[in-house]
Amino acid sequence: MLFAVKMDVRIPNDLDPDVRADTIAREKAYSQELQRKGIWPHIWRCVGQYSNLSVFDVRDNDELHDILWGLPLFPYMEIEVTPLALHPSDIATTGEAA
């Protein structure tokens, strides 16, 4: 199942700098491992924001839920999840050329 996930990060300004650096480093390692496994095939930065728009390819809602809750930055995020379905006009999935 594919999901588009918008993540807005709001780390408190008064968070200890060492905790902040450690959390961000763990977040990067966690997300890159999921990318290598093909679970997190797309991640884009939202220009001018501490946000990203990502696509997850997971088995079901529960797997996505567990992945999101496992994000080290999860306590500092607002997350919006949108389930995705194939579009009948998408030439990449229908095999039709323009």
Side-chain angles (χ1 to χ4, degrees), residues 4-37:
V5 180
K6 173 91 178 338
M7 295 178 241
D8 298 316
V9 182
R10 293 187 172 70
I11 299 173
N13 292 332
D14 61 350
L15 187 65
D16 178 276
D18 292 334
V19 172
R20 177 186 176 101
D22 177 67
T23 304
I24 291 170
R26 290 185 297 113
E27 179 84 10
K28 183 176 182 177
Y30 182 76
S31 71
Q32 288 181 343
E33 181 60 25
L34 291 169
Q35 290 171 62
R36 282 191 274 288
K37 291 179 178 179

Side-chain angles (χ1 to χ4, degrees), residues 4-5 8 17 31 41 43 45 50 67 74-75 89 92 94-95:
V5 180
D8 298 316
S31 71
I43 181 170
R45 178 175 294 183
Y50 193 171
I67 288 168
F74 180 82
S89 296
T94 63

Side-chain angles (χ1 to χ4, degrees), residues 43-93:
I43 181 170
W44 293 276
R45 178 175 294 183
C46 298
V47 176
Q49 304 171 40
Y50 193 171
S51 301
N52 75 74
L53 182 59
S54 295
V55 174
F56 287 84
D57 188 356
V58 294
R59 177 178 56 256
D60 55 29
N61 293 336
D62 292 326
E63 183 180 15
L64 180 62
H65 179 82
D66 291 343
I67 288 168
L68 297 177
W69 274 72
L71 291 166
L73 284 172
F74 180 82
Y76 312 112
M77 288 184 174
E78 290 183 24
I79 297 175
E80 181 180 327
V81 176
T82 304
L84 300 174
L86 296 177
H87 195 287
S89 296
D90 181 358
I91 64 171
T93 59

